Amino acid sequence: MSGLAEATLSQQAYDDLKKSTMENLQQLRSLAEDALKQGEDLLFGARTKETKDGRVAHLYVLSILEQYRAALCLFDHHAGTHAPSLIRCMLEYLVDLINVLNDPAYVDQLKTENAHSDHKVFDAYVKAIYGVELEEPMARELKDLQAEIEAREKAKEQARSRKIENTRQKELPSLYSLLCGLTHPNLTSLMARHAHDDGSLAYCRPPSAAVHRMLLSIAIRLLSIALSQFHRFTDCDPERVTAMVEHINAENLRLQSK
């Protein structure tokens, strides 16, 4: 076979692969839209249990659905490389959702954490808005506050790892690590988002088809886990919830294996 014929065949194989990949991506995007609609229909047609954990769980699910919808909007409007930030937020809210449902006392823990954090932020804000040059005692106080915040953030990261483990969802730790790597504001993520191989820079460049598929699949999976919790804080029929989630997961897995 001549070199020209081999090149033609190679190009044809590449074109076929590209077409197949795009078709698969479109099918996955359709599944993502369908999963959103099913989730919204399920939530809006259900009655939330009037308990402390039920109300808080409802709040988390509302935000998870909104973040999922927002992530799809980013993909649809040439900003899909920023979707990992929203998908990571989905995961963090999902972790709290499951922990709240596993232990209603977790709500009190969240309130304590929020009160402590809100007090520190408000105090620093009040001192900053007056625009007064900081005297030495206040400057020292703010420096100490910054050190405390940094220490608390480190402790919070350790606590978040424990919270993720407490969900008993084995895939969440690895997904969280992956999403953190894609969202941290470092040079690696900036270069991956904007830099071409020839040195030029891109604006609103979509993620590669492979990355797009991966992120969509992760978002769909996180949403399905959230949907699987619905019957725990609403009057939804558990069998309906299970059937819906199993269908979404099966389709997601089928499309990922193609």
Side-chain angles (χ1 to χ4, degrees):
M1 184 180 291
S2 68
L4 178 59
E6 289 179 352
T8 301
L9 285 175
S10 297
Q11 183 61 45
Q12 181 63 49
Y14 173 79
D15 291 343
D16 291 345
L17 177 61
K18 184 176 180 181
K19 180 181 178 181
S20 174
T21 299
M22 294 310 297
E23 289 176 351
N24 181 268
L25 184 55
Q26 290 171 359
Q27 291 174 337
L28 195 61
R29 180 62 180 81
S30 295
L31 174 62
E33 193 69 37
D34 184 54
L36 175 62
K37 184 179 185 307
Q38 290 188 63
E40 291 175 339
D41 289 346
L42 191 66
L43 181 63
F44 300 146
R47 186 187 301 274
T48 300
K49 296 177 182 177
E50 291 299 327
T51 60
K52 179 170 61 176
D53 53 310
R55 294 284 293 175
V56 173
H58 195 146
L59 293 174
Y60 277 122
V61 168
L62 286 172
S63 276
I64 290 170
L65 282 168
E66 288 176 350
Q67 289 160 347
Y68 181 84
R69 175 184 283 277
L72 297 186
C73 288
L74 289 180
F75 284 124
D76 293 345
H77 293 85
H78 314 293
T81 54
H82 293 279
S85 297
L86 288 168
I87 300 172
R88 174 184 165 183
C89 286
M90 284 180 64
L91 190 152
E92 291 174 341
Y93 277 151
L94 175 62
V95 166
D96 280 334
L97 166 66
I98 296 175
N99 278 298
V100 163
L101 294 173
N102 286 345
D103 180 11
Y106 186 79
V107 176
D108 297 323
Q109 177 185 332
L110 290 173
K111 289 180 178 179
T112 301
E113 292 174 358
N114 287 356
H116 181 73
S117 178
D118 291 347
H119 172 75
K120 291 293 185 180
V121 171
F122 180 74
D123 190 49
Y125 173 74
V126 169
K127 292 174 182 177
I129 58 175
Y130 294 106
V132 180
E133 184 175 348
L134 296 179
E135 298 178 357
E136 179 57 29
M138 184 180 291
R140 186 167 57 251
E141 182 180 348
L142 288 177
K143 185 176 180 180
D144 291 343
L145 174 60
Q146 181 179 4
E148 181 183 340
I149 290 174
E150 290 174 354
R152 195 164 66 243
E153 286 299 313
K154 183 176 180 180
K156 189 186 296 183
E157 193 64 34
Q158 294 171 342
R160 183 176 291 117
S161 296
R162 289 195 298 273
K163 290 178 181 180
I164 293 174
E165 291 174 359
N166 288 342
T167 66
R168 296 189 289 277
Q169 297 285 336
K170 294 181 179 180
E171 68 221 272
L172 292 188
S174 58
L175 291 180
Y176 183 71
S177 297
L178 172 63
L179 292 168
C180 284
L182 293 172
T183 56
H184 285 167
N186 53 38
L187 285 177
T188 301
S189 62
L190 285 172
M191 292 292 288
R193 184 177 296 124
H194 298 294
H196 287 296
D197 292 339
D198 62 4
S200 61
L201 300 179
Y203 175 69
C204 288
R205 181 174 66 179
S208 68
V211 172
H212 193 159
R213 285 179 59 193
M214 176 189 71
L215 292 174
L216 267 181
S217 181
I218 292 173
I220 293 169
R221 176 57 183 153
L222 294 177
L223 181 63
S224 77
I225 297 175
L227 297 181
S228 72
Q229 308 298 314
F230 270 34
H231 67 283
R232 301 179 64 186
F233 66 95
T234 71
D235 61 356
C236 286
D237 178 8
E239 291 184 1
R240 178 191 173 195
V241 173
T242 299
M244 180 180 64
V245 169
E246 287 180 350
H247 170 73
I248 293 172
N249 286 338
E251 283 297 292
N252 192 10
L253 184 61
R254 180 182 69 81
L255 291 171
Q256 283 302 305
S257 63
K258 288 181 68 175

